Amino acid sequence: SGQADALQMGVALLVDTVLATASVPEEKLPQGVSQARAQAVELTFEVLRRRHLDVASVECCLEVVRIFQAALEGSSLQRQIREGLLGGLLQRVADAHASQDSVQRRVLWAQGVLLGPGAVVTLMERLNGSLPCWIAGVKTLGQLYDDLEDLDTEAREARVAALKAVVGAMQAWPKEVHLLTHSCFAMSAMAAHGLDNDRGPYSEQHLQHGLRVAWQMTVVPAEECDQQGSRSGRGKARYLRQELLRLEVESVKAAKEPLRQNLQSEALRAGNAAAQCKALMRDARAGELEAKELSEHLHLALVALGVFGQAEHTVQVLRERGEWWQPVVQAAAGAAVELSRLGMQGELQSAGMAQAARAVHESWQQSGKRVDAATEEALAALQFAEGWVAG
């Protein structure tokens, strides 16, 4: 066992060493480094071939996929890793550990990185019935679509199948809050790429279907978690609502009229954003939220309300900032900037953004309190937001 531990440590060191230069073009590397990288990767594959029955060794060796992610697109390093794993080695590992969820999760991730979302969907279908593997598949789909700036043909064509897989997972395990949370994130990452026109099959119907399933599957579990009376339950509800908010925002942004207006109305009726704002302030008063976490969650909730047509909530929060002065101002300022970028300066101006911001500055000056780094950051963010809103 000591020998196995030493071998795994050696592989981890090889992977980390290659990672340090993976993004550097070969022509800019010192002489011999490119060959040394290739040898290190090949040595990792040799360990995987010899010890493919050992779970710990497999998990350690599959970290080589991180090198693929860091390497330049089309580089010899990427080709070596893709060919080394897809030449039968990755399938050999998967077959040897058909009932080992931790290995199958790694294989799912590797397949997704190397082959794209379609391969993840196919493997999820093969592993139907394994909750840990389906959670891993949903997470992988979310990461893949979130990482892609522009969809290539494979990712675009796989989006409908990926949506179907995520929806199927939610319906198969409706009580698994962790799965529901990651499912909302995965669908929001898909929606963020917009609708397909003549280039692919992802339509308004798919956008609408994913969001409505999310409302159906997540609103009640979020309320149930929130009412458990435990800090853990409230935390689960907070993160589930956050990812549902992200999905609502991306879906409304992607939709065209008249669907956009319909989704805005439905989102307001669902009440997720308002419930999140109320719960955030409650949890902050209870000492369950750090300032940074409060600011990040509140920012998204205010952006959501603005996207749904109620930008005045951002101004209202500034006016009623209360004891959580710095994170609330930071959240409102960030939301004002994001809503302005979406063309909502007029709504913020009409709601009195300039007056509310001025009141914040005057209130702080009159308080006579010392200006620390956090306060300076909040005031600077507010000033930046004022500039955006003023146009």
Side-chain angles (χ1 to χ4, degrees), residues 13-308:
L13 181 60
L14 284 174
V15 170
D16 288 342
T17 301
V18 176
L19 265 173
T21 65
S23 61
V24 180
E26 290 186 28
E27 62 271 16
K28 293 186 178 181
L29 290 171
Q31 187 174 2
V33 173
S34 180
Q35 294 88 338
R37 291 194 312 190
Q39 290 170 357
V41 170
E42 181 52 40
L43 183 56
T44 302
F45 287 154
E46 184 60 27
V47 173
L48 185 57
R49 292 185 195 99
R50 291 174 180 267
R51 298 187 59 82
H52 72 281
L53 297 178
D54 179 68
V55 171
S57 296
V58 167
E59 292 178 348
C60 182
C61 290
L62 286 182
E63 286 292 292
V64 75
V65 178
R66 290 167 53 212
I67 300 174
F68 181 92
Q69 291 177 300
L72 296 175
E73 187 69 31
S75 64
S76 61
L77 201 52
Q78 276 203 340
R79 289 195 300 274
Q80 181 187 12
I81 294 170
R82 182 185 281 113
E83 292 168 4
L85 287 175
L86 298 182
L89 183 54
L90 191 61
Q91 187 61 53
R92 184 181 176 191
V93 168
D95 293 343
H97 299 275
S99 60
Q100 181 59 251
D101 286 338
S102 65
V103 174
Q104 293 298 333
R105 289 198 298 270
R106 295 278 182 150
V107 171
L108 266 168
W109 168 64
Q111 290 265 34
V113 172
L114 298 172
L115 293 173
V120 177
V121 173
T122 300
L123 191 51
M124 286 174 68
E125 292 169 350
R126 281 181 47 202
L127 298 170
N128 192 17
S130 169
L131 174 60
C133 289
W134 272 63
I135 290 176
V138 168
K139 282 184 179 181
T140 301
L141 289 172
Q143 290 167 357
L144 290 173
Y145 279 105
D146 188 51
D147 287 344
L148 289 168
E149 291 186 14
D150 297 302
L151 298 185
D152 57 22
T153 301
E154 193 281 331
R156 188 175 296 279
E157 292 178 350
R159 198 157 43 146
V160 170
L163 174 66
K164 182 179 178 181
V166 171
V167 167
M170 297 175 79
Q171 293 171 335
W173 288 283
K175 299 296 185 182
E176 293 293 333
V177 174
H178 185 59
L179 172 66
L180 297 177
T181 301
H182 283 285
S183 295
C184 288
F185 174 76
M187 289 193 292
S188 73
M190 296 177 207
H193 291 283
L195 300 175
D196 291 331
N197 295 318
D198 56 345
R199 295 185 297 163
Y202 188 83
S203 66
E204 284 193 335
Q205 286 71 31
H206 298 104
L207 189 76
Q208 188 175 28
H209 177 62
L211 183 52
R212 287 183 172 166
V213 168
W215 279 328
Q216 177 187 357
M217 304 298 298
T218 64
V219 172
V220 172
E223 291 176 354
E224 290 175 348
C225 287
D226 205 39
Q227 295 169 5
Q228 285 177 2
S230 68
R231 181 169 182 162
S232 171
R234 288 189 290 272
K236 289 178 181 179
R238 186 162 58 246
Y239 281 100
L240 178 54
R241 286 194 184 112
Q242 171 161 299
E243 297 311 327
L244 177 56
L245 279 173
R246 202 184 310 277
L247 174 59
E248 289 174 336
V249 168
E250 295 299 342
S251 297
V252 170
K253 285 163 62 176
K256 299 176 181 177
E257 297 294 354
L259 177 60
R260 176 181 292 140
Q261 190 171 351
N262 292 338
L263 294 183
Q264 288 173 318
S265 299
E266 289 185 57
L268 289 172
R269 282 197 299 272
N272 184 50
Q276 182 77 323
C277 288
K278 182 179 178 180
L280 287 172
M281 301 316 296
R282 177 203 64 199
D283 295 344
R285 285 192 294 270
E288 296 180 7
L289 279 173
E290 296 291 336
K292 182 179 179 182
E293 190 178 10
L294 171 60
S295 181
E296 290 175 353
H297 284 291
L298 184 58
H299 168 260
L300 180 56
L302 292 175
V303 168
L305 287 166
V307 169
F308 305 156

